[in-house]
Amino acid sequence: MRQASGVPSSSLAFGMASPVDAIAGQRRGGSSVPRVTQGREGTNMTTSSTSGRIRVNRAPVLTLWAAVVAERLGHPPDTALSLASYVAGTAARAKARRLGLAEDAEHRDDTTSLKPREAIRLLGKEVPLVHDADGEVLADAGGGKPAPAAPIKAYVSRAFGQHLPAVRAAMEELAARHDPEELNRIGFRLYERFRPEVPADVTGWGARGELNLEAIRQADS
């Protein structure tokens, strides 16, 4: 069911740890949940734009979209950013395993703990939750440590640069046409329709592709 009402805009810019950094950390024996970092300038986050087309890699696109969906579900902006970083990190690790760039450590880590944990489902991903010192609900970045929003904002702000407001507006326009629960259910399929096209093999890992703003708006057509 579609809904005509709009979604409140936010002035926030957001993002997550680079997938390359996350997988590198996993290979060094770190947690299976990527550490939130500041990213790396000039690698997978440079953008340019002509006629509503932006060159960017997939990680910040999925992060931004997941945050928009999370806010549509009623989560506060900082919580939405934290949840979004976990969703995008999970997707990056899954792709890395398919390409043979990382071992399947995530499943092992998940099965070693039998302690029940608070979690929510976002875009088909189960996101474990923790509370920070102020009681704010955030994604678990590993070992019960919360994934803070500030580095995520900085990462996606760099990824999209001056084009962030336009990209976010296009995503909000798409999100506003669907009831929140329906949007959460079909949201990842919508993302697959507008995400930047990159090679499916290892050469596409971390590569930039073309993000078309009109494709975002028309993803549910």
Side-chain angles (χ1 to χ4, degrees), residues 23 64 70-71 77 84 88 99-100 103 107 111 134 141 146 151 166 170 176 185 190 200 202 211-212:
I23 300 306
L64 179 58
E71 286 194 33
L99 297 176
E103 296 178 357
H107 178 72
T111 57
D134 297 322
R185 180 177 60 83
L190 294 176
V202 175
L211 179 65
N212 187 327

Side-chain angles (χ1 to χ4, degrees), residues 109-128:
D109 290 343
D110 286 345
T111 57
T112 55
S113 175
L114 299 179
K115 182 180 178 180
R117 61 182 183 179
E118 185 182 359
I120 65 158
R121 197 160 186 82
L122 179 62
L123 297 182
K125 311 296 183 183
E126 199 75 13
V127 183

Side-chain angles (χ1 to χ4, degrees), residues 2-50:
R2 294 187 178 183
Q3 182 165 311
S5 61
V7 180
S9 293
S10 169
S11 61
L12 293 174
F14 19 82
M16 60 164 288
S18 159
V20 177
D21 289 339
I23 300 306
Q26 189 181 78
R27 283 180 164 179
R28 290 192 297 268
S31 167
S32 64
V33 179
R35 175 175 55 87
V36 178
T37 68
Q38 293 297 322
R40 294 177 295 182
E41 293 288 345
T43 54
N44 59 354
M45 293 176 283
T46 304
T47 62
S48 61
S49 175
T50 53

Side-chain angles (χ1 to χ4, degrees), residues 2 6 10-11 19 27 36 46 57 64 76 84 98 103 106 109 136 143 160 174 178 180 192 196 199 201 216:
R2 294 187 178 183
S10 169
S11 61
R27 283 180 164 179
V36 178
T46 304
N57 85 322
L64 179 58
R98 288 196 302 272
E103 296 178 357
E106 183 176 23
D109 290 343
E136 186 172 36
F160 291 104
L174 172 62
H178 299 272
E192 290 178 323
D201 59 13
I216 297 174

